Amino acid sequence: MPRRLTNDLLLGLLLAQVLGGLLGWALPVGTAGPLYDLHRALGIGVILLLGWKQAIAFHSLRRRVRWRRWDRSIVWGSIGGIALLITLVLGLAWTLNLISFDLLWGYSPMNVHVILGIGLLPFIGWHMLARRRQNAVSAPVRSRRSLVRVAGLSLATLVGWQAIEHLPPAVRLRTGSKPTASLSGNAFPAEIWLFDGVPFINADRWRLGLSGSSSATFSLAELVALHPRREVQCVLDCTSGWWSEQVWSGVGLLDVLGTAGLAEHAGQVAVESVTGHRIVLAVEDLAPAVLATHVGGEPLSPGHGFPLRLVVPGWRGYHWVKWVQRIDVS
């Protein structure tokens, strides 16, 4: 396959992988379902395309060693290539159920996969753009041979993806997340979004602040006393690659907004943590949302968001804000 076409396809696939992965986080799980399938399929395409890419890279390196011609694009390409290989190995091992979310001393390989996948793009992009002019003299991009090879790559990608999808089933969700303790109260992983630490919160002094067309505050005792109480059994699907089904109880988010006189003209709702983590959702997505004070009949532990955690069924775990202290309505 022509060098320029190989590079363009590889960069396009990587951009699609990163964009699809980010959208898979940002959108509701039901909406993003096809993106998870596409992500796995394109991952197979990247692996197959590397067969052509490695032949091009080795030929280029031999030629440069012979003529002693080096430039910075080799450095950027090498960094990006190593990161890409690690990313692919982790992704494939994850899909084949060879590794789990607690492999790296409690830090999920899925997080490493995501960080490297995003981080390698500038290096590979710079490398390929630097080489684009040189590769213009390679075999024609628009040719019958190129068309046949792209068609073959597409077919092999489809076959490889379906082969993986039809492996003996593991207990994992469509998102790729794997099971951990369910219906266990607080006895399931307490992942922290990004670099947040577990804050110390004095329940007697803590207040939930609400603002919008009016403002209000609630103490923990006032929230617990609100009626009706809500209980929902649903799956927490963490972006670190695990899932857990629990029974959450508390008060409906929209019920709290109604009590504070903020529900009538609400369009968007921003929920903010003590640590500064903030998510914004449309009010129509929040009908099943619960401001939970308990899980499995137990008060939330500090690691799981004591004293108040947002539970949003159908959305990925990073939307489930812990240690909620403020809600802004607009």
Side-chain angles (χ1 to χ4, degrees):
M1 188 178 293
R3 294 194 302 271
R4 188 175 63 181
L5 179 58
T6 299
N7 283 349
D8 288 349
L9 282 175
L10 185 57
L11 183 58
L13 287 175
L14 293 178
L15 288 171
Q17 286 290 76
V18 171
L19 179 61
L22 292 176
L23 287 175
W25 278 9
L27 297 174
V29 174
T31 303
L35 292 175
Y36 304 126
D37 297 331
L38 182 64
H39 190 83
R40 285 189 284 272
L42 294 185
I44 297 298
V46 172
I47 292 172
L48 295 174
L49 192 58
L50 284 182
W52 275 296
K53 181 58 182 176
Q54 63 86 23
I56 293 170
F58 287 156
H59 175 75
S60 176
L61 286 174
R62 285 196 298 267
R63 179 166 50 83
R64 289 173 182 275
V65 168
R66 185 183 305 120
W67 295 100
R68 296 183 180 179
R69 293 179 179 175
W70 302 90
D71 57 59
R72 291 183 180 178
S73 69
I74 296 176
V75 176
W76 308 138
S78 298
I79 294 173
I82 292 170
L84 177 57
L85 287 175
I86 297 174
T87 303
L88 290 173
V89 167
L90 289 175
L92 188 60
W94 183 275
T95 301
L96 296 177
N97 298 306
L98 301 177
I99 57 176
S100 188
F101 60 85
D102 55 357
L103 175 68
L104 302 177
W105 303 279
Y107 194 77
S108 175
M110 186 56 64
N111 289 338
V112 179
H113 172 82
V114 171
I115 292 169
L116 288 178
I118 296 173
L120 64 83
L121 278 181
F123 296 100
I124 289 183
W126 179 262
H127 170 79
M128 291 182 177
L129 289 174
R131 294 293 178 84
R132 187 171 178 82
R133 181 176 298 176
Q134 301 172 27
N135 292 338
V137 298
S138 66
V141 171
R142 297 179 181 178
S143 67
R144 182 177 298 177
R145 177 175 294 183
S146 295
L147 178 61
V148 170
R149 288 180 174 176
V150 171
L153 174 65
S154 301
L155 179 60
T157 296
L158 180 61
V159 171
W161 167 55
Q162 284 300 303
I164 285 180
E165 293 297 304
H166 286 85
L167 287 173
V171 187
R172 60 179 173 87
L173 301 182
R174 193 175 184 183
T175 61
S177 295
K178 301 180 180 182
T180 185
S182 287
L183 302 177
S184 57
N186 285 289
F188 65 98
E191 296 285 346
I192 305 300
W193 173 243
L194 290 180
F195 303 108
D196 290 349
V198 178
F200 172 77
I201 297 176
N202 184 321
D204 293 331
R205 299 178 60 183
W206 173 89
R207 295 292 184 273
L208 172 66
L210 292 92
S211 67
S213 56
S214 61
S215 61
T217 60
F218 291 90
S219 68
L220 182 59
E222 288 171 335
L223 282 174
V224 170
L226 286 178
H227 290 282
R229 296 286 292 175
R230 290 274 300 277
E231 185 174 275
V232 58
Q233 182 170 329
C234 60
V235 169
L236 168 58
D237 187 352
C238 182
T239 50
S240 292
W242 55 264
W243 65 268
S244 177
E245 185 174 4
Q246 302 292 342
V247 177
W248 305 85
S249 57
V251 61
L253 173 58
L254 296 187
D255 293 335
V256 174
L257 296 185
T259 301
L262 294 170
E264 184 177 355
H265 302 294
Q268 288 188 324
V269 178
V271 182
E272 185 174 327
S273 168
V274 168
T275 63
H277 176 44
R278 178 182 175 95
I279 65 100
V280 180
L281 291 172
V283 70
E284 57 263 26
D285 294 323
L286 294 172
V290 171
L291 292 171
T293 56
H294 291 69
V295 57
E298 303 172 0
L300 292 170
S301 68
H304 286 302
F306 174 85
L308 194 67
R309 177 177 191 161
L310 177 64
V311 172
V312 200
W315 292 77
R316 298 300 297 275
Y318 85 94
H319 288 92
W320 295 34
V321 179
K322 298 179 181 180
W323 315 298
V324 175
Q325 73 163 356
R326 184 174 182 83
I327 299 175
D328 295 318
V329 178
S330 58

